């Protein structure tokens, strides 16, 4: 674990972010630190660049090296950590479930069992477990008269809302993310000072995931050329621009009024 500490603040905006070691997650982490958020990152590996950035901007950063394919254990750790926090200086608490995995691209029958299990654990079970732990722990704060804002932002995908051949595990994970977000939003809406939840599609981003899709076997992935063309025609959003759009959505006054959203509908 690494930590960079800023001076004590009376109104801390606490953000928990998964998948922060690369791609849009890393871009979001950098931008959140620039905005003064106190940031807890949950990723497979610690990112030295992010540590250096936190030190340069005098930001507060904690990095946990965790395996989101073991989500119950990570949930327990997060819930216990939140329970140990003093809430007097916390103005808001936000969970961003960003991590995701695409297994071997191809027909479902050709997907290795371990990769399929990993994709579903990281892509849908981990966000559910972490959301459950976050909501439970911060509800204790609310019950103790804490009145800060609570938000959960789940990074979904257009592929959770329409099918694509050779993408069954990823589509299923994102569809599951959308639906559990809807369910939790209904639950929280019935509570005083309930949390706001949104499952947000961030558009098509120029990340390692796109490289994986373009490099897949066309025989098993009928839509491969589409992804090749997106890159060739410069139609991919940079991770930094995508991060700005996603974080901008998080700051909207109407965040949570519609639990399923797409940045391209802004």
């Amino acid at each position: 674990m690494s930590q960079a500490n800023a001076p004590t603040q009376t109104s801390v905006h606490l953000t928990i972010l998964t998948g922060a070691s690369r791609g849009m997650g890393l871009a979001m982490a950098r931008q959140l630190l620039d905005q003064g958020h106190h940031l807890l990152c949950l990723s497979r590996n610690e990112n030295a660049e992010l540590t250096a950035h936190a030190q340069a901007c005098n930001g507060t950063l904690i990095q946990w090296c965790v395996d989101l394919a073991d989500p119950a254990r990570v949930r327990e750790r997060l819930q216990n950590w939140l329970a140990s926090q003093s809430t007097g200086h916390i103005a808001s608490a936000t969970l961003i479930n960003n991590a995701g995995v695409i297994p071997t691209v191809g027909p479902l029958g050709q997907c290795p069992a371990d990769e399929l299990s990993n994709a579903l654990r990281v892509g849908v079970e981990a966000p559910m477990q972490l959301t459950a732990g976050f909501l439970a722990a911060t509800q204790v704060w609310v019950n103790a008269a804490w009145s800060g804002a609570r938000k959960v932002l789940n990074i979904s995908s257009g592929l959770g809302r329409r099918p694509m051949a050779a993408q069954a595990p990823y589509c299923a994970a994102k569809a599951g993310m959308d639906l559990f977000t809807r369910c939790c939003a209904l639950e929280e809406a019935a509570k005083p000072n309930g949390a706001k939840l949104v499952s947000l599609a961030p558009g098509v981003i120029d990340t390692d995931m796109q490289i994986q899709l373009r490099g897949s076997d066309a025989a098993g992935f009928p839509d491969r050329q589409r992804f090749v063309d997106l890159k060739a025609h410069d139609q991919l959003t940079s991770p930094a621009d995508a991060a700005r759009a996603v974080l901008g959505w998080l700051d909207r006054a109407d965040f949570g009024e519609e639990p399923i959203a797409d940045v391209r509908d802004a």
Side-chain angles (χ1 to χ4, degrees):
M1 179 178 76
S2 70
Q3 183 169 1
N5 291 305
T8 301
Q9 298 180 21
T10 56
S11 297
V12 166
H13 295 286
L14 172 65
T15 301
I16 301 146
L17 172 64
T18 70
S21 62
R22 59 182 183 172
M24 187 181 73
L26 177 58
M28 282 195 291
R30 291 171 62 94
Q31 291 173 26
L32 286 164
L33 288 168
D34 288 340
Q35 295 170 17
H37 288 242
H38 286 209
L39 187 59
L40 169 61
C41 293
L42 283 61
S43 303
R44 211 177 232 295
N45 300 298
E46 185 174 313
N47 187 293
E49 174 191 340
L50 190 56
T51 298
H53 186 79
Q55 293 170 345
C57 69
N58 201 26
T60 296
L61 169 69
I62 302 172
Q63 295 192 69
W64 289 354
C65 295
V66 298
D67 183 3
L68 292 175
D70 186 8
R73 182 174 299 180
V74 183
R75 168 188 174 171
E76 181 181 19
R77 182 178 179 184
L78 176 63
Q79 195 164 338
N80 289 339
W81 184 83
L82 287 168
S84 73
Q85 300 304 300
S86 172
T87 59
H89 65 296
I90 298 177
S92 69
T94 300
L95 169 65
I96 305 176
N97 285 306
N98 168 69
V101 175
I102 289 184
T104 298
V105 177
L108 183 61
Q110 297 177 15
C111 184
D114 59 339
E115 293 188 24
L116 175 57
S117 178
N118 183 66
L120 294 177
R121 284 182 176 273
V122 174
V124 66
E125 186 182 349
M128 288 187 75
Q129 292 278 17
L130 293 176
T131 298
F134 175 84
L135 292 175
T138 56
Q139 184 62 51
V140 173
W141 299 358
V142 172
N143 294 344
W146 181 77
S147 58
R150 296 183 295 151
K151 297 180 181 180
V152 176
L153 177 61
N154 291 323
I155 304 302
S156 185
S157 170
L159 290 181
R161 299 161 196 178
R162 61 179 180 81
M164 178 176 286
Q167 289 290 299
Y170 188 76
C171 289
K174 294 304 185 183
M177 174 180 278
D178 283 353
L179 195 54
F180 95 71
T181 301
R182 284 187 182 275
C183 294
C184 291
L186 290 172
E187 295 163 1
E188 292 297 313
K191 299 177 182 178
N193 198 28
K196 304 296 185 183
L197 296 95
V198 171
S199 190
L200 181 68
V204 188
I205 308 165
D206 195 4
T207 63
D208 291 346
M209 194 172 288
Q210 287 290 317
I211 296 173
Q212 181 181 355
L213 292 171
R214 292 194 302 270
S216 300
D217 181 5
F221 185 25
D223 288 283
R224 175 182 176 273
Q225 190 58 43
R226 175 189 167 204
F227 292 93
V228 172
D229 291 343
L230 286 170
K231 178 67 172 178
H233 298 146
D234 198 26
Q235 294 179 319
L236 298 175
T237 305
S238 73
D241 286 345
R244 274 188 286 273
V246 167
L247 296 180
W249 198 281
L250 188 62
D251 289 338
R252 288 170 58 126
D254 63 350
F255 180 90
E257 290 184 9
E258 293 293 336
I260 303 300
D262 191 309
V263 293
R264 291 162 290 194
D265 296 335

